[in-house]
Amino acid sequence: MAGAPHQRPRVNLLVDLTRLEKSGKFSELASWMHTYHSVRGVPLVVLYVCCGTLQLPWAFQVWRGKGTPSPAQLALNLLRTVPQELLAGKRRPRLHADGGFERADFIQGVLARGLDIVIDVRCTRRLPDGRQVRDLMVRGSLVQPKGLHQTMYISWVWLYRDKEPEQRFVMSNLNLGGVDLARLGKRRWRIEAFFKTIKGRFGLERFAQHSQ
């Protein structure tokens, strides 16, 4: 009896705002250097493509600071560079992002492109009844966070860093149940940690590391 036909792995996309930390004077990068979250350097919005065991950086854009397109807008621009052939298939692609991209226009833009979304959400984000996300008692709750036009499912996990537990919230348009949604959130953090590791190993943090 013939085996079941091979099913192509689901394509997962991940957007991340990272920084090439710099100190000193860099005349060539003067217009690119900004301080963000107390870190001075070149802020990059990076899009990664993950399919099965394949995980690779796809494209990036430099965020040039206030008064220019936001990181969320740059991320939507990067999504447009992904060929539709890569996203086609029976298994709907998913976009993973951290809480820096939880703007309504970004979430709606992702869903409009036919992608599902799994995204971090601030614990202080308000709900229509005045509560905050951290006040939810049931994993997988269906709510409509303030500022969004659609309902989302929210769950959470506990991460242990330096032996201190940290509660992280994740939301999605997918009705996966609280436990599975939390697992998806954990998977994104593992992928993000992987790319932060290879950034160091390939020396990206030393890009243009000469100053005047």
Side-chain angles (χ1 to χ4, degrees):
M1 180 176 177
H6 175 70
Q7 188 176 36
R8 192 179 79 173
R10 185 191 309 277
V11 173
N12 287 281
L13 306 173
L14 185 147
V15 291
D16 182 39
L17 177 60
T18 189
R19 286 160 294 280
L20 299 181
E21 187 174 352
K22 303 297 170 195
S23 59
K25 297 180 180 180
F26 297 86
S27 58
E28 300 92 339
L29 303 178
S31 63
W32 293 6
M33 299 283 286
H34 299 281
T35 299
Y36 186 75
H37 287 181
S38 302
V39 177
R40 183 173 180 268
V42 180
L44 301 177
V45 178
V46 186
L47 174 65
Y48 303 96
V49 175
C50 308
C51 187
T53 58
L54 179 65
Q55 302 178 9
L56 72 157
W58 178 265
F60 72 90
Q61 288 193 354
V62 176
W63 180 54
R64 299 178 183 272
K66 293 182 179 180
T68 67
S70 68
Q73 291 170 319
L74 295 179
L76 289 176
N77 291 340
L78 292 175
L79 285 178
R80 298 186 185 100
T81 69
V82 181
Q84 194 59 39
E85 294 80 5
L86 185 61
L87 303 178
K90 295 182 179 180
R91 309 187 73 185
R92 185 169 161 127
R94 292 173 182 165
L95 187 284
H96 302 256
D98 65 27
F101 296 91
E102 61 168 323
R103 290 174 37 155
D105 57 344
F106 176 73
I107 293 173
Q108 291 160 6
V110 170
L111 297 177
R113 290 190 60 80
L115 305 174
D116 292 319
I117 190 167
V118 180
I119 187 168
D120 289 8
V121 58
R122 289 173 289 114
C123 66
T124 56
R125 184 149 190 169
R126 291 285 180 180
L127 303 176
D129 59 7
R131 292 181 301 160
Q132 296 181 345
V133 165
R134 62 185 170 193
D135 296 324
L136 293 172
M137 301 297 293
V138 179
R139 288 183 177 181
S141 295
L142 179 63
V143 297
Q144 184 175 355
K146 198 169 183 179
L148 292 184
H149 300 306
Q150 64 279 325
T151 54
M152 303 285 281
Y153 296 91
I154 295 183
S155 188
W156 61 85
V157 298
W158 288 95
L159 298 181
Y160 293 87
R161 297 178 177 178
D162 300 325
K163 299 183 180 180
E164 290 293 330
E166 178 185 0
Q167 190 177 23
R168 299 286 291 271
F169 291 86
V170 59
M171 68 179 178
S172 176
N173 63 304
L174 296 166
N175 182 12
L176 300 173
V179 174
D180 285 342
L181 179 53
R183 286 174 180 164
L184 275 184
K186 275 189 173 181
R187 183 174 185 271
R188 186 195 69 77
W189 293 314
R190 286 198 300 267
I191 294 173
E192 185 178 288
F194 167 78
F195 284 118
K196 288 185 186 300
T197 298
I198 65 171
K199 183 179 77 171
R201 289 184 177 177
F202 282 95
L204 292 179
E205 78 284 357
R206 294 189 296 274
F207 168 72
Q209 196 67 40
H210 59 279
S211 61
Q212 297 178 349

